[in-house]
Amino acid sequence: MPQFRQNIILKEWVVIATERAKRPEQLKEHKAATAEALPAHDENCPFCPKTAHTHEEKEFLRVPEKGAWKLRAVANRYPALEPPGDNIHVYTEGFFRWMDGVGHHEVIVETPRHNTTLATMTVEEVETVVAAYRTRYVELSKMDYIETIIPFRNHGPRAGASIPHPHSQIIALPVIPRDVMTRLNEAIRYHEEHRGCVFCKVMNNELEVDERVVMETPGFVSFVPYAAASPFHMWVYPKKHSSDFWTISDEEVADLAHVLRGTLRKLYIGLNDPDYNFIVRSAPRGYGNSEFFHWYITIVPRLTRTAGFELGTGMFINPSIPEQDAEYLRSVKI
Amino acid sequence: MPQFRQNIILKEWVVIATERAKRPEQLKEHKAATAEALPAHDENCPFCPKTAHTHEEKEFLRVPEKGAWKLRAVANRYPALEPPGDNIHVYTEGFFRWMDGVGHHEVIVETPRHNTTLATMTVEEVETVVAAYRTRYVELSKMDYIETIIPFRNHGPRAGASIPHPHSQIIALPVIPRDVMTRLNEAIRYHEEHRGCVFCKVMNNELEVDERVVMETPGFVSFVPYAAASPFHMWVYPKKHSSDFWTISDEEVADLAHVLRGTLRKLYIGLNDPDYNFIVRSAPRGYGNSEFFHWYITIVPRLTRTAGFELGTGMFINPSIPEQDAEYLRSVKI
């Protein structure tokens, strides 16, 4: 019998389609070439050191290494959003409303090497990436018009990445998007009722039950949520309550790099380099330093596709079983 | 400059990414084989007449033709949901909640022919399909435990269709999914403020402005919404206000078949048979015969992929311009 499972944080129901459930190994990618099989440099790649238009680009951050660089943050060449000229206007067009597409969109080129990814980098390299997220997050927070900052990563074409060179992105918005607001509102409602953080509650339960944990370090835990919306969907939580990603210490940066790399490496080895997205979910301006919200990272491997049912309902059908997915990843040696 | 455009019905903002906007022709599929290039029958197809397990399957509807059939509605062999045994229970598992995955899931095999699709069928054939949606909708409405009925269609692998034989699906649920509830609530709010149907208002504006209309018939209009979430996203509205799809007359069935086939045919010819989903959005039980809701069909061509930004925000980036998409489709001769 299929199950509806409730995401206790968003109060949403997910269908765990037991009748069509796949074993973890069945979800393995049949990729012709993983990230490591690419050339070390590609002369057509806009992020490779020799071909990057480094003099034309607006550069926000450069982490130097032996006269060259090991990480750069640059303006997106085709930005989805652009910085404001002066004030932000809302225009009406008869019945409709529109605003200038104001915001900030940057790319973090994670390494000069073309043929690697977070799962195959050293822990120190991933640490440089996580530290760059923090640095840029802090800088962007200082811009008056910004409400929400979202570091994220698209890995592979099914995850929307058009360039294979390892990179992350940061989008900063003058608004709080509806999904972000929904998550905040549900957390506030929980806090009003129970005087606590629903995310802490979920995480402590996962640590106690220990059925869906994938990896644990002193300060972090990654696990498959009880009501995972898709196969191998995972959350990475800091154990210490904090609503704000950017407040992590250097020690926590190193620890997060360790758990993030390890969790992604289990995916890389266990499922043959699947495409994925991950998103750092931190409290928007005005909700910082709060008792009810808890920052975390959502990892979404793109192994299945949304279809008419998901588009029609907003509910997800997960053709795998969260406990089995977690067990499989735990067994993958990294 | 990119634009944020507001979906006036859901109050959501969409990014129209003008800086990365593609011309309509650039979004054309480079498919090896369209639906018509398939064999007329496939011996491995579970929906083809010779290979369908017609005696083993639960059949809900059969439209006969010359001793054989021209359409069948059958139980999904791998249902995402299953009918209830007795009552519907909600179980708690420590901190969590789950329910039996109760519901109804069926497949409408639209034709015995393997190598066609709605865009390449005759209007009469599409009429048979639309009439089957109505018949099955009415039947499913009689089941006490059902709240929401959603006829939908997945066309092509990027839209989640695993079997190419032309078919639709119907899911019926014991709950009102959150996205459906959100749409109802926003419509109710509009009605409270303005005493009218926000969908009628949007449609009448589209007919008047005539910038985004794709096709018009006596009773229906298809158009690209002002704040389309993705390229060639379209809505098909009945001109006459009605919250309930299942109330359409025989004459309206024929008219809807005409506009639906025509609109899909413009996609098929203009973009080389792109994968798409469509969903019939009709009022759930308890919201029927209402002044504030308006049934319609959403068509979502799957030409782009959602990435970290969409997953992180719930906001969509549309790399095309709705007015240009509509103009292009209007120019396609069918």
Short mmCIF file of all heavy atoms in Angstrom, two decimals, chain A residues 211-242:
data_model
loop_
_atom_site.label_atom_id
_atom_site.label_comp_id
_atom_site.label_asym_id
_atom_site.label_seq_id
_atom_site.Cartn_x
_atom_site.Cartn_y
_atom_site.Cartn_z
N GLU A 211 17.50 6.03 11.69
CA GLU A 211 17.08 5.18 10.56
C GLU A 211 17.38 5.84 9.22
O GLU A 211 17.40 5.18 8.19
CB GLU A 211 15.56 4.95 10.60
CG GLU A 211 15.12 3.91 11.58
CD GLU A 211 13.62 3.69 11.50
OE1 GLU A 211 12.89 4.62 11.10
OE2 GLU A 211 13.18 2.59 11.84
N ARG A 212 17.52 7.16 9.24
CA ARG A 212 17.64 7.88 7.98
C ARG A 212 18.91 8.75 7.92
O ARG A 212 19.10 9.50 6.98
CB ARG A 212 16.40 8.75 7.76
CG ARG A 212 15.16 7.96 7.37
CD ARG A 212 13.90 8.81 7.36
NE ARG A 212 13.54 9.24 8.70
CZ ARG A 212 12.75 8.56 9.52
NH1 ARG A 212 12.21 7.42 9.13
NH2 ARG A 212 12.49 9.00 10.73
N VAL A 213 19.78 8.61 8.94
CA VAL A 213 21.02 9.39 8.96
C VAL A 213 21.98 8.85 7.90
O VAL A 213 22.11 7.64 7.74
CB VAL A 213 21.67 9.35 10.36
CG1 VAL A 213 23.09 9.91 10.32
CG2 VAL A 213 20.82 10.12 11.36
N VAL A 214 22.63 9.75 7.18
CA VAL A 214 23.60 9.35 6.16
C VAL A 214 25.02 9.55 6.68
O VAL A 214 25.88 8.70 6.52
CB VAL A 214 23.37 10.13 4.85
CG1 VAL A 214 24.48 9.88 3.83
CG2 VAL A 214 22.01 9.75 4.25
N MET A 215 25.27 10.68 7.34
CA MET A 215 26.62 10.98 7.82
C MET A 215 26.54 11.94 8.99
O MET A 215 25.69 12.83 9.01
CB MET A 215 27.43 11.60 6.67
CG MET A 215 28.91 11.71 6.94
SD MET A 215 29.80 12.26 5.44
CE MET A 215 31.35 12.74 6.21
N GLU A 216 27.42 11.75 9.95
CA GLU A 216 27.41 12.61 11.12
C GLU A 216 28.83 13.05 11.44
O GLU A 216 29.77 12.27 11.34
CB GLU A 216 26.82 11.83 12.31
CG GLU A 216 26.40 12.73 13.45
CD GLU A 216 25.92 11.95 14.68
OE1 GLU A 216 25.58 10.76 14.54
OE2 GLU A 216 25.92 12.54 15.77
N THR A 217 28.98 14.33 11.77
CA THR A 217 30.28 14.86 12.20
C THR A 217 30.03 15.53 13.55
O THR A 217 28.88 15.60 14.01
CB THR A 217 30.82 15.89 11.19
OG1 THR A 217 29.90 16.98 11.11
CG2 THR A 217 31.01 15.27 9.81
N PRO A 218 31.08 16.06 14.20
CA PRO A 218 30.83 16.69 15.51
C PRO A 218 29.73 17.75 15.47
O PRO A 218 28.88 17.81 16.35
CB PRO A 218 32.19 17.30 15.87
CG PRO A 218 33.18 16.45 15.16
CD PRO A 218 32.52 16.02 13.88
N GLY A 219 29.71 18.56 14.40
CA GLY A 219 28.78 19.68 14.40
C GLY A 219 27.61 19.56 13.44
O GLY A 219 26.71 20.39 13.45
N PHE A 220 27.61 18.53 12.58
CA PHE A 220 26.59 18.45 11.53
C PHE A 220 26.06 17.04 11.35
O PHE A 220 26.70 16.07 11.74
CB PHE A 220 27.17 18.92 10.18
CG PHE A 220 27.49 20.39 10.15
CD1 PHE A 220 28.73 20.86 10.59
CD2 PHE A 220 26.55 21.31 9.72
CE1 PHE A 220 29.02 22.22 10.59
CE2 PHE A 220 26.83 22.67 9.71
CZ PHE A 220 28.07 23.13 10.15
N VAL A 221 24.87 16.95 10.74
CA VAL A 221 24.33 15.65 10.38
C VAL A 221 23.62 15.77 9.04
O VAL A 221 22.94 16.77 8.78
CB VAL A 221 23.37 15.10 11.48
CG1 VAL A 221 22.23 16.08 11.75
CG2 VAL A 221 22.82 13.73 11.10
N SER A 222 23.83 14.78 8.16
CA SER A 222 23.05 14.74 6.92
C SER A 222 22.12 13.53 7.00
O SER A 222 22.50 12.48 7.49
CB SER A 222 23.95 14.66 5.69
OG SER A 222 24.72 13.48 5.68
N PHE A 223 20.89 13.72 6.54
CA PHE A 223 19.91 12.63 6.59
C PHE A 223 18.87 12.77 5.49
O PHE A 223 18.70 13.84 4.92
CB PHE A 223 19.24 12.58 7.97
CG PHE A 223 18.48 13.83 8.37
CD1 PHE A 223 17.10 13.92 8.17
CD2 PHE A 223 19.14 14.91 8.94
CE1 PHE A 223 16.39 15.07 8.54
CE2 PHE A 223 18.44 16.06 9.31
CZ PHE A 223 17.07 16.14 9.11
N VAL A 224 18.22 11.65 5.19
CA VAL A 224 17.09 11.64 4.26
C VAL A 224 15.85 11.96 5.09
O VAL A 224 15.58 11.27 6.07
CB VAL A 224 16.94 10.27 3.58
CG1 VAL A 224 15.76 10.27 2.61
CG2 VAL A 224 18.22 9.86 2.87
N PRO A 225 15.08 13.00 4.74
CA PRO A 225 13.91 13.31 5.57
C PRO A 225 12.86 12.20 5.52
O PRO A 225 12.77 11.47 4.54
CB PRO A 225 13.35 14.60 4.95
CG PRO A 225 14.33 15.06 3.95
CD PRO A 225 15.26 13.94 3.64
N TYR A 226 12.09 12.11 6.59
CA TYR A 226 11.00 11.12 6.69
C TYR A 226 10.06 11.21 5.49
O TYR A 226 9.66 10.20 4.93
CB TYR A 226 10.23 11.40 7.99
CG TYR A 226 8.99 10.56 8.17
CD1 TYR A 226 9.09 9.21 8.50
CD2 TYR A 226 7.72 11.12 8.03
CE1 TYR A 226 7.96 8.44 8.68
CE2 TYR A 226 6.58 10.35 8.21
CZ TYR A 226 6.70 9.01 8.53
OH TYR A 226 5.58 8.25 8.70
N ALA A 227 9.70 12.43 5.10
CA ALA A 227 8.79 12.62 3.96
C ALA A 227 9.57 13.19 2.77
O ALA A 227 9.17 14.18 2.16
CB ALA A 227 7.64 13.54 4.35
N ALA A 228 10.67 12.53 2.42
CA ALA A 228 11.50 12.99 1.29
C ALA A 228 10.66 13.07 0.03
O ALA A 228 9.94 12.14 -0.30
CB ALA A 228 12.67 12.04 1.09
N ALA A 229 10.78 14.18 -0.69
CA ALA A 229 9.94 14.41 -1.86
C ALA A 229 10.42 13.64 -3.09
O ALA A 229 9.67 13.45 -4.04
CB ALA A 229 9.88 15.90 -2.18
N SER A 230 11.68 13.21 -3.08
CA SER A 230 12.22 12.50 -4.23
C SER A 230 13.38 11.61 -3.77
O SER A 230 13.88 11.78 -2.65
CB SER A 230 12.69 13.50 -5.30
OG SER A 230 13.63 14.40 -4.75
N PRO A 231 13.81 10.65 -4.60
CA PRO A 231 14.84 9.71 -4.16
C PRO A 231 16.14 10.40 -3.73
O PRO A 231 16.62 11.29 -4.42
CB PRO A 231 15.08 8.85 -5.41
CG PRO A 231 13.80 8.93 -6.17
CD PRO A 231 13.30 10.33 -5.94
N PHE A 232 16.66 10.00 -2.58
CA PHE A 232 17.94 10.48 -2.07
C PHE A 232 17.96 11.99 -1.76
O PHE A 232 19.02 12.59 -1.67
CB PHE A 232 19.09 10.10 -3.01
CG PHE A 232 19.27 8.63 -3.14
CD1 PHE A 232 18.69 7.92 -4.20
CD2 PHE A 232 19.97 7.92 -2.18
CE1 PHE A 232 18.82 6.55 -4.29
CE2 PHE A 232 20.12 6.54 -2.27
CZ PHE A 232 19.54 5.86 -3.33
N HIS A 233 16.79 12.57 -1.65
CA HIS A 233 16.66 13.94 -1.15
C HIS A 233 17.29 13.96 0.25
O HIS A 233 17.06 13.05 1.04
CB HIS A 233 15.16 14.23 -1.06
CG HIS A 233 14.79 15.66 -0.87
ND1 HIS A 233 14.19 16.41 -1.86
CD2 HIS A 233 14.89 16.48 0.20
CE1 HIS A 233 13.96 17.62 -1.41
NE2 HIS A 233 14.37 17.70 -0.16
N MET A 234 18.13 14.96 0.54
CA MET A 234 18.79 14.99 1.85
C MET A 234 18.84 16.39 2.44
O MET A 234 18.80 17.38 1.70
CB MET A 234 20.23 14.45 1.73
CG MET A 234 20.28 12.94 1.62
SD MET A 234 21.98 12.33 1.50
CE MET A 234 22.31 12.64 -0.22
N TRP A 235 18.91 16.44 3.75
CA TRP A 235 19.12 17.70 4.46
C TRP A 235 20.42 17.62 5.25
O TRP A 235 20.72 16.58 5.84
CB TRP A 235 17.96 17.95 5.45
CG TRP A 235 16.65 18.29 4.79
CD1 TRP A 235 16.46 18.72 3.51
CD2 TRP A 235 15.35 18.23 5.39
NE1 TRP A 235 15.11 18.92 3.28
CE2 TRP A 235 14.41 18.64 4.42
CE3 TRP A 235 14.88 17.87 6.66
CZ2 TRP A 235 13.04 18.70 4.67
CZ3 TRP A 235 13.51 17.93 6.91
CH2 TRP A 235 12.61 18.35 5.93
N VAL A 236 21.17 18.71 5.25
CA VAL A 236 22.37 18.80 6.09
C VAL A 236 22.11 19.88 7.13
O VAL A 236 21.91 21.05 6.78
CB VAL A 236 23.62 19.19 5.25
CG1 VAL A 236 24.87 19.20 6.13
CG2 VAL A 236 23.79 18.24 4.06
N TYR A 237 22.05 19.48 8.40
CA TYR A 237 21.72 20.41 9.48
C TYR A 237 22.93 20.65 10.38
O TYR A 237 23.63 19.69 10.72
CB TYR A 237 20.63 19.81 10.39
CG TYR A 237 19.20 19.97 9.95
CD1 TYR A 237 18.84 19.97 8.61
CD2 TYR A 237 18.19 20.11 10.91
CE1 TYR A 237 17.52 20.10 8.23
CE2 TYR A 237 16.86 20.23 10.53
CZ TYR A 237 16.53 20.22 9.20
OH TYR A 237 15.21 20.34 8.84
N PRO A 238 23.13 21.89 10.81
CA PRO A 238 24.07 22.11 11.92
C PRO A 238 23.38 21.64 13.20
O PRO A 238 22.18 21.88 13.39
CB PRO A 238 24.26 23.63 11.93
CG PRO A 238 23.00 24.18 11.34
CD PRO A 238 22.49 23.15 10.36
N LYS A 239 24.13 20.98 14.08
CA LYS A 239 23.51 20.48 15.31
C LYS A 239 23.18 21.62 16.27
O LYS A 239 22.21 21.57 17.01
CB LYS A 239 24.44 19.49 16.01
CG LYS A 239 24.58 18.17 15.24
CD LYS A 239 25.40 17.18 16.06
CE LYS A 239 25.72 15.95 15.25
NZ LYS A 239 26.73 15.10 15.91
N LYS A 240 24.02 22.64 16.24
CA LYS A 240 23.80 23.80 17.12
C LYS A 240 22.71 24.67 16.50
O LYS A 240 22.76 24.98 15.31
CB LYS A 240 25.11 24.59 17.22
CG LYS A 240 25.13 25.68 18.27
CD LYS A 240 26.46 26.43 18.25
CE LYS A 240 26.47 27.49 17.15
NZ LYS A 240 27.75 28.22 17.06
N HIS A 241 21.74 25.07 17.30
CA HIS A 241 20.69 25.92 16.73
C HIS A 241 21.25 27.25 16.26
O HIS A 241 21.93 27.96 17.01
CB HIS A 241 19.57 26.19 17.74
CG HIS A 241 18.54 27.11 17.16
ND1 HIS A 241 17.54 26.67 16.31
CD2 HIS A 241 18.39 28.46 17.22
CE1 HIS A 241 16.82 27.69 15.90
NE2 HIS A 241 17.32 28.80 16.43
N SER A 242 20.95 27.60 15.01
CA SER A 242 21.28 28.92 14.49
C SER A 242 20.43 29.16 13.26
O SER A 242 20.27 28.27 12.42
CB SER A 242 22.76 29.00 14.11
OG SER A 242 22.97 30.12 13.26
#
